[in-house]
Amino acid sequence: MEHKNGVDEAEIRELIKNRVDAVSIKDVKKAMASVESNVLLFDVVNPLQSSGLETLRKRAEQWFSSFDGPIGFETRDLNIVTGDDVAFSHSLNRVKARTINGQKLEMWWRSTVCYRRMDGKWMVTHEHNSVPFDPGTGKASLDLQP
């Protein structure tokens, strides 16, 4: 099936929008709907890498349950590049929410996501999220803003 890059980009933008909406309402099933079963994740939290849909589903459940109420989640500076059956996007993402312990969390991070068209549908196959760190202190720079 031949696709035009504009159509592919629109499909990936919709996939990203659906994932952002799912995170905002803490809907694990919707957040995982476009994630491939052998997905590989490099996340901002331990471990160094995670793989497999079930592992990511458990991670999402744990993360969502750490917040009281909805999660403010947004992407900024989103760029998408598409090929025939592979694509990638990169963006700056922000979370703004209150934890179940009453702490306010607001931070930006960098995200690069790889996609593959499988059975005519774009699926997330790899996601890499990161924050810069201060080499002088060795601590993550969580207060940076775009």
Side-chain angles (χ1 to χ4, degrees), residues 58-76:
K58 288 177 185 174
R59 165 75 178 110
E61 288 170 354
Q62 177 187 25
W63 190 58
F64 292 172
S65 70
S66 71
F67 295 106
D68 182 26
I71 300 170
F73 184 67
E74 70 175 287
T75 61
R76 182 170 168 176

Side-chain angles (χ1 to χ4, degrees), residues 12-13 21 29 43 45 60 75 93-94 98 106 123:
I12 291 170
R13 282 188 185 278
D21 292 347
K29 184 176 180 180
D43 208 352
V45 297
T75 61
N93 296 347
R94 180 178 77 138
R98 186 163 304 280
E106 183 172 0
M123 300 293 287

